[in-house]
Amino acid sequence: MTDRYASFVQSTAGRTLVKRLGLPDPPRLRRHSPGDPLLPGPALLGAATGGRLAEPVGRILTAAGVELADPAASAGPQDRFGALVYDASGITDSAQLRQLYDFFHPQARAVLPGGRVIVLGTPPQECPTPREATAQRALEGLVRSIGKEFGRGSTAQLVYVTRAEDGVLTSLESTLRFLLSGRSAYVSGQVIRVGGGEATAPADWDRPLDGQVVLVTGAARGIGAALARVLARDGAQVVALDIPAAGDALAAVANDIGGTAVQLDLTAPDAPTRLADHLASRHGRVDVVVHNAGITRDKTLGRMDADRWDQVIDVNLSSQERINDVLLERGLIPTGGRIVSVSSIAGIAGNRGQTNYATSKAGVIGLVDSLAPALRERGISVNAVAPGFIETRLTARIPLVVREAGRRMNSLAQGGLPVDVAETIGWLAWPASGAVSGNVVRVCGQSLLGA
């Protein structure tokens, strides 16, 4: 589906009209293409006094081919940066938050179009004193405000990094690579937690899923098809699953990426066992499970029949639980495995006419919250993505006024694309992201709805 307004804004007449009338101004987003550099310009790396992350982050960025600007020589108005990266882990008191102002204030207009802002801190729950925890929690307000202020397609994120050691630097590298690159074009204002866990750096960061067997449910169309293509591009052997009625479209996707197709109704009583048998006999394991399959059956609660409620809960939530249970019980998800579920901002903010859908998607967040601690001991990560307004055949059916509101009510003033969701899930699926677990990452252009 084409966003005609966003296309018009890029024209000469559109630019003039937007400035004159103060209309929404969707920027052209910097999305990933294989071989692209991580950034369109150098990164400026700063740190609060006593920060523990600036040195390893500098090494990571240099190894990733990012040019680091010299802070002492970068004070001129002509300087422009592809990213501002700030280690705030040394801030232990609210009075020290002034250091954030001192770093970001002079550079507020220095970020290039499509640039990135990343602030690194310590999880408040790990802080030894209430004052430090308070100061670290304050970073969220800074980052979300920057995401709304800097504009021109730039994004801002907060990454809380545990003090533990296992897997942290590898997962921090994978997270920085994702957030700095065009893969994260429609992700902004997010809080990401990097903890301890199994994490393995790839031999080739352009193919971070080499050798991985990845299951994608709901893979025939839309986000699922984009997922299958992105994961295959990154080196995965993709098992694409969808209902028998979508068999032709599913086969086309599988053939296009060199994957395999599985036609299966996930709500069937024997579906989890049949799926497990297939994965065991064909591959012996499944390294990544992506729960993307989902349906809507919209009605206000007072007008909704029981079948609409039951179908949505079963497909969107209960089937995920049943599949996880069988795959984990049979040991088919190995140490270092990944589970990624697709939630929605409807599960965070709610949505009129979608009580069944919002309930199911909030349940997906609950699934991540409850499974993450239990699976950490087995070296398996579990995360969710929560898409906002994504341009698909489903959103194309929304009435025009509501559709336009959905597109514009975010910091980037436009809808996202299926590939934006796919890129985010791809990052969470990487073996190098093993210490990223228990997160719900919104792919919504920093939507004005929800938390």
Side-chain angles (χ1 to χ4, degrees), residues 18-55:
V18 163
K19 291 180 179 179
R20 184 172 298 171
L21 300 180
L23 297 173
D25 187 6
R28 191 183 302 277
L29 301 186
R30 177 173 64 92
R31 290 190 167 92
H32 173 73
S33 292
D36 282 352
L38 284 183
L39 289 171
L44 182 63
L45 175 60
T49 303
R52 61 188 171 86
L53 298 168
E55 183 179 346

PDB file of all heavy atoms in Angstrom, residues 18-55:
ATOM      1  N   VAL A  18       3.885  22.011   2.853  1.00  0.00           N
ATOM      2  CA  VAL A  18       4.095  21.551   4.230  1.00  0.00           C
ATOM      3  C   VAL A  18       4.632  22.687   5.094  1.00  0.00           C
ATOM      4  O   VAL A  18       4.160  22.915   6.217  1.00  0.00           O
ATOM      5  CB  VAL A  18       5.061  20.345   4.245  1.00  0.00           C
ATOM      6  CG1 VAL A  18       5.626  20.122   5.646  1.00  0.00           C
ATOM      7  CG2 VAL A  18       4.352  19.090   3.778  1.00  0.00           C
ATOM      8  N   LYS A  19       5.618  23.411   4.587  1.00  0.00           N
ATOM      9  CA  LYS A  19       6.198  24.513   5.357  1.00  0.00           C
ATOM     10  C   LYS A  19       5.197  25.640   5.564  1.00  0.00           C
ATOM     11  O   LYS A  19       5.115  26.237   6.642  1.00  0.00           O
ATOM     12  CB  LYS A  19       7.448  25.035   4.651  1.00  0.00           C
ATOM     13  CG  LYS A  19       8.612  24.058   4.660  1.00  0.00           C
ATOM     14  CD  LYS A  19       9.826  24.646   3.937  1.00  0.00           C
ATOM     15  CE  LYS A  19      10.995  23.664   3.972  1.00  0.00           C
ATOM     16  NZ  LYS A  19      12.189  24.193   3.255  1.00  0.00           N
ATOM     17  N   ARG A  20       4.410  25.929   4.529  1.00  0.00           N
ATOM     18  CA  ARG A  20       3.484  27.053   4.608  1.00  0.00           C
ATOM     19  C   ARG A  20       2.327  26.774   5.556  1.00  0.00           C
ATOM     20  O   ARG A  20       1.900  27.662   6.304  1.00  0.00           O
ATOM     21  CB  ARG A  20       2.957  27.373   3.206  1.00  0.00           C
ATOM     22  CG  ARG A  20       2.041  28.601   3.142  1.00  0.00           C
ATOM     23  CD  ARG A  20       1.741  28.941   1.695  1.00  0.00           C
ATOM     24  NE  ARG A  20       2.960  29.283   0.961  1.00  0.00           N
ATOM     25  CZ  ARG A  20       3.009  29.459  -0.349  1.00  0.00           C
ATOM     26  NH1 ARG A  20       1.916  29.311  -1.091  1.00  0.00           N
ATOM     27  NH2 ARG A  20       4.153  29.786  -0.928  1.00  0.00           N
ATOM     28  N   LEU A  21       1.821  25.533   5.552  1.00  0.00           N
ATOM     29  CA  LEU A  21       0.632  25.209   6.342  1.00  0.00           C
ATOM     30  C   LEU A  21       0.951  24.468   7.642  1.00  0.00           C
ATOM     31  O   LEU A  21       0.046  24.203   8.424  1.00  0.00           O
ATOM     32  CB  LEU A  21      -0.331  24.369   5.500  1.00  0.00           C
ATOM     33  CG  LEU A  21      -0.854  25.019   4.218  1.00  0.00           C
ATOM     34  CD1 LEU A  21      -1.801  24.082   3.491  1.00  0.00           C
ATOM     35  CD2 LEU A  21      -1.534  26.348   4.525  1.00  0.00           C
ATOM     36  N   GLY A  22       2.212  24.128   7.857  1.00  0.00           N
ATOM     37  CA  GLY A  22       2.568  23.404   9.076  1.00  0.00           C
ATOM     38  C   GLY A  22       2.006  21.996   9.119  1.00  0.00           C
ATOM     39  O   GLY A  22       1.622  21.499  10.189  1.00  0.00           O
ATOM     40  N   LEU A  23       1.945  21.333   7.977  1.00  0.00           N
ATOM     41  CA  LEU A  23       1.396  19.986   7.893  1.00  0.00           C
ATOM     42  C   LEU A  23       2.423  18.953   8.364  1.00  0.00           C
ATOM     43  O   LEU A  23       3.613  19.250   8.449  1.00  0.00           O
ATOM     44  CB  LEU A  23       0.988  19.692   6.445  1.00  0.00           C
ATOM     45  CG  LEU A  23      -0.124  20.571   5.872  1.00  0.00           C
ATOM     46  CD1 LEU A  23      -0.302  20.282   4.384  1.00  0.00           C
ATOM     47  CD2 LEU A  23      -1.425  20.345   6.621  1.00  0.00           C
ATOM     48  N   PRO A  24       1.964  17.724   8.663  1.00  0.00           N
ATOM     49  CA  PRO A  24       2.917  16.657   9.006  1.00  0.00           C
ATOM     50  C   PRO A  24       3.967  16.491   7.917  1.00  0.00           C
ATOM     51  O   PRO A  24       3.660  16.598   6.722  1.00  0.00           O
ATOM     52  CB  PRO A  24       2.026  15.418   9.128  1.00  0.00           C
ATOM     53  CG  PRO A  24       0.675  15.941   9.464  1.00  0.00           C
ATOM     54  CD  PRO A  24       0.563  17.256   8.738  1.00  0.00           C
ATOM     55  N   ASP A  25       5.194  16.239   8.327  1.00  0.00           N
ATOM     56  CA  ASP A  25       6.317  16.216   7.400  1.00  0.00           C
ATOM     57  C   ASP A  25       7.058  14.883   7.503  1.00  0.00           C
ATOM     58  O   ASP A  25       8.088  14.777   8.173  1.00  0.00           O
ATOM     59  CB  ASP A  25       7.255  17.381   7.719  1.00  0.00           C
ATOM     60  CG  ASP A  25       8.363  17.529   6.680  1.00  0.00           C
ATOM     61  OD1 ASP A  25       8.329  16.804   5.669  1.00  0.00           O
ATOM     62  OD2 ASP A  25       9.260  18.357   6.907  1.00  0.00           O
ATOM     63  N   PRO A  26       6.537  13.835   6.848  1.00  0.00           N
ATOM     64  CA  PRO A  26       7.197  12.528   6.931  1.00  0.00           C
ATOM     65  C   PRO A  26       8.568  12.554   6.270  1.00  0.00           C
ATOM     66  O   PRO A  26       8.664  12.840   5.076  1.00  0.00           O
ATOM     67  CB  PRO A  26       6.249  11.594   6.171  1.00  0.00           C
ATOM     68  CG  PRO A  26       4.963  12.333   6.045  1.00  0.00           C
ATOM     69  CD  PRO A  26       5.321  13.782   6.022  1.00  0.00           C
ATOM     70  N   PRO A  27       9.633  12.268   7.002  1.00  0.00           N
ATOM     71  CA  PRO A  27      10.966  12.252   6.387  1.00  0.00           C
ATOM     72  C   PRO A  27      11.188  10.965   5.598  1.00  0.00           C
ATOM     73  O   PRO A  27      10.489   9.958   5.802  1.00  0.00           O
ATOM     74  CB  PRO A  27      11.901  12.311   7.598  1.00  0.00           C
ATOM     75  CG  PRO A  27      11.125  11.611   8.675  1.00  0.00           C
ATOM     76  CD  PRO A  27       9.680  11.970   8.445  1.00  0.00           C
ATOM     77  N   ARG A  28      12.142  10.994   4.709  1.00  0.00           N
ATOM     78  CA  ARG A  28      12.553   9.776   4.017  1.00  0.00           C
ATOM     79  C   ARG A  28      13.431   8.961   4.972  1.00  0.00           C
ATOM     80  O   ARG A  28      14.469   9.447   5.435  1.00  0.00           O
ATOM     81  CB  ARG A  28      13.327  10.118   2.746  1.00  0.00           C
ATOM     82  CG  ARG A  28      13.549   8.916   1.829  1.00  0.00           C
ATOM     83  CD  ARG A  28      14.401   9.315   0.627  1.00  0.00           C
ATOM     84  NE  ARG A  28      13.806  10.390  -0.142  1.00  0.00           N
ATOM     85  CZ  ARG A  28      12.866  10.230  -1.072  1.00  0.00           C
ATOM     86  NH1 ARG A  28      12.394   9.023  -1.312  1.00  0.00           N
ATOM     87  NH2 ARG A  28      12.405  11.277  -1.739  1.00  0.00           N
ATOM     88  N   LEU A  29      13.024   7.752   5.290  1.00  0.00           N
ATOM     89  CA  LEU A  29      13.739   6.949   6.282  1.00  0.00           C
ATOM     90  C   LEU A  29      14.936   6.235   5.652  1.00  0.00           C
ATOM     91  O   LEU A  29      14.910   5.843   4.481  1.00  0.00           O
ATOM     92  CB  LEU A  29      12.801   5.923   6.922  1.00  0.00           C
ATOM     93  CG  LEU A  29      11.578   6.496   7.639  1.00  0.00           C
ATOM     94  CD1 LEU A  29      10.816   5.382   8.348  1.00  0.00           C
ATOM     95  CD2 LEU A  29      11.965   7.588   8.622  1.00  0.00           C
ATOM     96  N   ARG A  30      15.966   6.080   6.438  1.00  0.00           N
ATOM     97  CA  ARG A  30      17.171   5.360   6.009  1.00  0.00           C
ATOM     98  C   ARG A  30      16.996   3.887   6.370  1.00  0.00           C
ATOM     99  O   ARG A  30      17.122   3.490   7.522  1.00  0.00           O
ATOM    100  CB  ARG A  30      18.406   5.946   6.704  1.00  0.00           C
ATOM    101  CG  ARG A  30      19.705   5.199   6.366  1.00  0.00           C
ATOM    102  CD  ARG A  30      20.917   5.917   6.939  1.00  0.00           C
ATOM    103  NE  ARG A  30      20.931   5.973   8.378  1.00  0.00           N
ATOM    104  CZ  ARG A  30      21.526   5.071   9.168  1.00  0.00           C
ATOM    105  NH1 ARG A  30      22.141   4.026   8.642  1.00  0.00           N
ATOM    106  NH2 ARG A  30      21.516   5.221  10.481  1.00  0.00           N
ATOM    107  N   ARG A  31      16.700   3.073   5.359  1.00  0.00           N
ATOM    108  CA  ARG A  31      16.520   1.639   5.578  1.00  0.00           C
ATOM    109  C   ARG A  31      17.740   0.867   5.076  1.00  0.00           C
ATOM    110  O   ARG A  31      18.528   1.360   4.294  1.00  0.00           O
ATOM    111  CB  ARG A  31      15.241   1.145   4.898  1.00  0.00           C
ATOM    112  CG  ARG A  31      13.965   1.652   5.586  1.00  0.00           C
ATOM    113  CD  ARG A  31      12.713   0.959   5.062  1.00  0.00           C
ATOM    114  NE  ARG A  31      11.576   1.227   5.930  1.00  0.00           N
ATOM    115  CZ  ARG A  31      10.719   2.235   5.756  1.00  0.00           C
ATOM    116  NH1 ARG A  31      10.891   3.082   4.746  1.00  0.00           N
ATOM    117  NH2 ARG A  31       9.702   2.401   6.584  1.00  0.00           N
ATOM    118  N   HIS A  32      17.836  -0.373   5.543  1.00  0.00           N
ATOM    119  CA  HIS A  32      19.031  -1.190   5.300  1.00  0.00           C
ATOM    120  C   HIS A  32      19.034  -1.810   3.912  1.00  0.00           C
ATOM    121  O   HIS A  32      18.018  -2.300   3.424  1.00  0.00           O
ATOM    122  CB  HIS A  32      19.088  -2.310   6.341  1.00  0.00           C
ATOM    123  CG  HIS A  32      20.177  -3.312   6.102  1.00  0.00           C
ATOM    124  ND1 HIS A  32      21.502  -3.036   6.323  1.00  0.00           N
ATOM    125  CD2 HIS A  32      20.138  -4.597   5.648  1.00  0.00           C
ATOM    126  CE1 HIS A  32      22.237  -4.091   6.037  1.00  0.00           C
ATOM    127  NE2 HIS A  32      21.438  -5.049   5.621  1.00  0.00           N
ATOM    128  N   SER A  33      20.190  -1.783   3.278  1.00  0.00           N
ATOM    129  CA  SER A  33      20.477  -2.588   2.101  1.00  0.00           C
ATOM    130  C   SER A  33      21.804  -3.294   2.354  1.00  0.00           C
ATOM    131  O   SER A  33      22.720  -2.696   2.940  1.00  0.00           O
ATOM    132  CB  SER A  33      20.599  -1.718   0.842  1.00  0.00           C
ATOM    133  OG  SER A  33      19.351  -1.149   0.499  1.00  0.00           O
ATOM    134  N   PRO A  34      21.927  -4.569   1.969  1.00  0.00           N
ATOM    135  CA  PRO A  34      23.187  -5.292   2.197  1.00  0.00           C
ATOM    136  C   PRO A  34      24.376  -4.510   1.652  1.00  0.00           C
ATOM    137  O   PRO A  34      24.341  -3.982   0.541  1.00  0.00           O
ATOM    138  CB  PRO A  34      22.976  -6.607   1.443  1.00  0.00           C
ATOM    139  CG  PRO A  34      21.496  -6.818   1.479  1.00  0.00           C
ATOM    140  CD  PRO A  34      20.897  -5.442   1.352  1.00  0.00           C
ATOM    141  N   GLY A  35      25.404  -4.423   2.458  1.00  0.00           N
ATOM    142  CA  GLY A  35      26.607  -3.697   2.072  1.00  0.00           C
ATOM    143  C   GLY A  35      26.640  -2.255   2.516  1.00  0.00           C
ATOM    144  O   GLY A  35      27.678  -1.598   2.397  1.00  0.00           O
ATOM    145  N   ASP A  36      25.525  -1.735   3.024  1.00  0.00           N
ATOM    146  CA  ASP A  36      25.496  -0.356   3.503  1.00  0.00           C
ATOM    147  C   ASP A  36      26.422  -0.180   4.706  1.00  0.00           C
ATOM    148  O   ASP A  36      26.537  -1.089   5.544  1.00  0.00           O
ATOM    149  CB  ASP A  36      24.088   0.035   3.956  1.00  0.00           C
ATOM    150  CG  ASP A  36      23.160   0.356   2.800  1.00  0.00           C
ATOM    151  OD1 ASP A  36      23.654   0.423   1.665  1.00  0.00           O
ATOM    152  OD2 ASP A  36      21.951   0.536   3.045  1.00  0.00           O
ATOM    153  N   PRO A  37      27.056   0.992   4.857  1.00  0.00           N
ATOM    154  CA  PRO A  37      27.751   1.289   6.116  1.00  0.00           C
ATOM    155  C   PRO A  37      26.726   1.459   7.219  1.00  0.00           C
ATOM    156  O   PRO A  37      25.536   1.735   6.962  1.00  0.00           O
ATOM    157  CB  PRO A  37      28.473   2.609   5.816  1.00  0.00           C
ATOM    158  CG  PRO A  37      27.668   3.239   4.731  1.00  0.00           C
ATOM    159  CD  PRO A  37      27.139   2.104   3.891  1.00  0.00           C
ATOM    160  N   LEU A  38      27.157   1.295   8.462  1.00  0.00           N
ATOM    161  CA  LEU A  38      26.215   1.426   9.572  1.00  0.00           C
ATOM    162  C   LEU A  38      25.637   2.823   9.664  1.00  0.00           C
ATOM    163  O   LEU A  38      24.466   2.993  10.034  1.00  0.00           O
ATOM    164  CB  LEU A  38      26.913   1.073  10.899  1.00  0.00           C
ATOM    165  CG  LEU A  38      27.168  -0.402  11.192  1.00  0.00           C
ATOM    166  CD1 LEU A  38      27.795  -0.561  12.568  1.00  0.00           C
ATOM    167  CD2 LEU A  38      25.886  -1.213  11.103  1.00  0.00           C
ATOM    168  N   LEU A  39      26.436   3.838   9.341  1.00  0.00           N
ATOM    169  CA  LEU A  39      26.027   5.224   9.547  1.00  0.00           C
ATOM    170  C   LEU A  39      26.338   6.086   8.326  1.00  0.00           C
ATOM    171  O   LEU A  39      27.272   5.790   7.575  1.00  0.00           O
ATOM    172  CB  LEU A  39      26.757   5.812  10.768  1.00  0.00           C
ATOM    173  CG  LEU A  39      26.338   5.297  12.134  1.00  0.00           C
ATOM    174  CD1 LEU A  39      27.301   5.794  13.209  1.00  0.00           C
ATOM    175  CD2 LEU A  39      24.921   5.737  12.466  1.00  0.00           C
ATOM    176  N   PRO A  40      25.586   7.191   8.166  1.00  0.00           N
ATOM    177  CA  PRO A  40      25.872   8.107   7.067  1.00  0.00           C
ATOM    178  C   PRO A  40      26.991   9.098   7.370  1.00  0.00           C
ATOM    179  O   PRO A  40      27.321   9.942   6.530  1.00  0.00           O
ATOM    180  CB  PRO A  40      24.540   8.850   6.895  1.00  0.00           C
ATOM    181  CG  PRO A  40      23.939   8.861   8.261  1.00  0.00           C
ATOM    182  CD  PRO A  40      24.344   7.546   8.877  1.00  0.00           C
ATOM    183  N   GLY A  41      27.558   9.035   8.559  1.00  0.00           N
ATOM    184  CA  GLY A  41      28.628   9.944   8.946  1.00  0.00           C
ATOM    185  C   GLY A  41      29.285   9.454  10.219  1.00  0.00           C
ATOM    186  O   GLY A  41      28.937   8.398  10.759  1.00  0.00           O
ATOM    187  N   PRO A  42      30.245  10.182  10.756  1.00  0.00           N
ATOM    188  CA  PRO A  42      30.949   9.743  11.966  1.00  0.00           C
ATOM    189  C   PRO A  42      30.038   9.751  13.189  1.00  0.00           C
ATOM    190  O   PRO A  42      29.004  10.416  13.217  1.00  0.00           O
ATOM    191  CB  PRO A  42      32.077  10.774  12.110  1.00  0.00           C
ATOM    192  CG  PRO A  42      31.571  11.981  11.404  1.00  0.00           C
ATOM    193  CD  PRO A  42      30.740  11.482  10.260  1.00  0.00           C
ATOM    194  N   ALA A  43      30.443   9.003  14.203  1.00  0.00           N
ATOM    195  CA  ALA A  43      29.731   8.979  15.485  1.00  0.00           C
ATOM    196  C   ALA A  43      30.509   9.796  16.502  1.00  0.00           C
ATOM    197  O   ALA A  43      31.740   9.756  16.546  1.00  0.00           O
ATOM    198  CB  ALA A  43      29.575   7.547  15.980  1.00  0.00           C
ATOM    199  N   LEU A  44      29.773  10.544  17.311  1.00  0.00           N
ATOM    200  CA  LEU A  44      30.379  11.265  18.428  1.00  0.00           C
ATOM    201  C   LEU A  44      30.072  10.491  19.696  1.00  0.00           C
ATOM    202  O   LEU A  44      28.903  10.297  20.049  1.00  0.00           O
ATOM    203  CB  LEU A  44      29.818  12.679  18.518  1.00  0.00           C
ATOM    204  CG  LEU A  44      30.398  13.569  19.633  1.00  0.00           C
ATOM    205  CD1 LEU A  44      31.891  13.790  19.411  1.00  0.00           C
ATOM    206  CD2 LEU A  44      29.662  14.909  19.698  1.00  0.00           C
ATOM    207  N   LEU A  45      31.106  10.017  20.360  1.00  0.00           N
ATOM    208  CA  LEU A  45      30.959   9.196  21.562  1.00  0.00           C
ATOM    209  C   LEU A  45      31.333  10.018  22.783  1.00  0.00           C
ATOM    210  O   LEU A  45      32.429  10.571  22.858  1.00  0.00           O
ATOM    211  CB  LEU A  45      31.870   7.963  21.460  1.00  0.00           C
ATOM    212  CG  LEU A  45      31.953   7.031  22.673  1.00  0.00           C
ATOM    213  CD1 LEU A  45      30.582   6.451  23.010  1.00  0.00           C
ATOM    214  CD2 LEU A  45      32.961   5.923  22.410  1.00  0.00           C
ATOM    215  N   GLY A  46      30.408  10.114  23.737  1.00  0.00           N
ATOM    216  CA  GLY A  46      30.654  10.843  24.967  1.00  0.00           C
ATOM    217  C   GLY A  46      30.352   9.976  26.179  1.00  0.00           C
ATOM    218  O   GLY A  46      29.764   8.903  26.058  1.00  0.00           O
ATOM    219  N   ALA A  47      30.753  10.448  27.348  1.00  0.00           N
ATOM    220  CA  ALA A  47      30.547   9.660  28.558  1.00  0.00           C
ATOM    221  C   ALA A  47      30.462  10.570  29.771  1.00  0.00           C
ATOM    222  O   ALA A  47      31.170  11.580  29.868  1.00  0.00           O
ATOM    223  CB  ALA A  47      31.685   8.656  28.753  1.00  0.00           C
ATOM    224  N   ALA A  48      29.592  10.187  30.707  1.00  0.00           N
ATOM    225  CA  ALA A  48      29.552  10.847  32.001  1.00  0.00           C
ATOM    226  C   ALA A  48      30.755  10.410  32.819  1.00  0.00           C
ATOM    227  O   ALA A  48      31.356   9.351  32.564  1.00  0.00           O
ATOM    228  CB  ALA A  48      28.257  10.481  32.736  1.00  0.00           C
ATOM    229  N   THR A  49      31.112  11.207  33.784  1.00  0.00           N
ATOM    230  CA  THR A  49      32.235  10.877  34.662  1.00  0.00           C
ATOM    231  C   THR A  49      31.996   9.521  35.308  1.00  0.00           C
ATOM    232  O   THR A  49      30.937   9.262  35.874  1.00  0.00           O
ATOM    233  CB  THR A  49      32.386  11.948  35.751  1.00  0.00           C
ATOM    234  OG1 THR A  49      32.558  13.226  35.121  1.00  0.00           O
ATOM    235  CG2 THR A  49      33.580  11.649  36.638  1.00  0.00           C
ATOM    236  N   GLY A  50      32.979   8.647  35.217  1.00  0.00           N
ATOM    237  CA  GLY A  50      32.871   7.331  35.843  1.00  0.00           C
ATOM    238  C   GLY A  50      32.119   6.308  35.033  1.00  0.00           C
ATOM    239  O   GLY A  50      31.855   5.205  35.518  1.00  0.00           O
ATOM    240  N   GLY A  51      31.773   6.609  33.784  1.00  0.00           N
ATOM    241  CA  GLY A  51      31.068   5.647  32.951  1.00  0.00           C
ATOM    242  C   GLY A  51      31.896   4.397  32.687  1.00  0.00           C
ATOM    243  O   GLY A  51      33.106   4.482  32.479  1.00  0.00           O
ATOM    244  N   ARG A  52      31.241   3.239  32.641  1.00  0.00           N
ATOM    245  CA  ARG A  52      31.947   1.966  32.480  1.00  0.00           C
ATOM    246  C   ARG A  52      31.840   1.404  31.072  1.00  0.00           C
ATOM    247  O   ARG A  52      32.443   0.359  30.769  1.00  0.00           O
ATOM    248  CB  ARG A  52      31.386   0.933  33.465  1.00  0.00           C
ATOM    249  CG  ARG A  52      29.905   0.636  33.262  1.00  0.00           C
ATOM    250  CD  ARG A  52      29.305  -0.240  34.368  1.00  0.00           C
ATOM    251  NE  ARG A  52      27.864  -0.307  34.245  1.00  0.00           N
ATOM    252  CZ  ARG A  52      27.212  -1.180  33.473  1.00  0.00           C
ATOM    253  NH1 ARG A  52      27.889  -2.084  32.791  1.00  0.00           N
ATOM    254  NH2 ARG A  52      25.895  -1.160  33.414  1.00  0.00           N
ATOM    255  N   LEU A  53      31.090   2.063  30.178  1.00  0.00           N
ATOM    256  CA  LEU A  53      30.787   1.468  28.884  1.00  0.00           C
ATOM    257  C   LEU A  53      31.460   2.150  27.701  1.00  0.00           C
ATOM    258  O   LEU A  53      31.531   1.576  26.609  1.00  0.00           O
ATOM    259  CB  LEU A  53      29.269   1.472  28.655  1.00  0.00           C
ATOM    260  CG  LEU A  53      28.463   0.647  29.661  1.00  0.00           C
ATOM    261  CD1 LEU A  53      26.974   0.948  29.524  1.00  0.00           C
ATOM    262  CD2 LEU A  53      28.732  -0.835  29.478  1.00  0.00           C
ATOM    263  N   ALA A  54      31.949   3.377  27.874  1.00  0.00           N
ATOM    264  CA  ALA A  54      32.480   4.125  26.735  1.00  0.00           C
ATOM    265  C   ALA A  54      33.650   3.398  26.071  1.00  0.00           C
ATOM    266  O   ALA A  54      33.737   3.338  24.835  1.00  0.00           O
ATOM    267  CB  ALA A  54      32.901   5.526  27.163  1.00  0.00           C
ATOM    268  N   GLU A  55      34.555   2.847  26.870  1.00  0.00           N
ATOM    269  CA  GLU A  55      35.725   2.188  26.285  1.00  0.00           C
ATOM    270  C   GLU A  55      35.348   0.971  25.457  1.00  0.00           C
ATOM    271  O   GLU A  55      35.749   0.875  24.283  1.00  0.00           O
ATOM    272  CB  GLU A  55      36.718   1.801  27.383  1.00  0.00           C
ATOM    273  CG  GLU A  55      37.994   1.180  26.833  1.00  0.00           C
ATOM    274  CD  GLU A  55      38.991   0.820  27.932  1.00  0.00           C
ATOM    275  OE1 GLU A  55      38.821   1.290  29.073  1.00  0.00           O
ATOM    276  OE2 GLU A  55      39.936   0.071  27.627  1.00  0.00           O
TER     277      GLU A  55
END
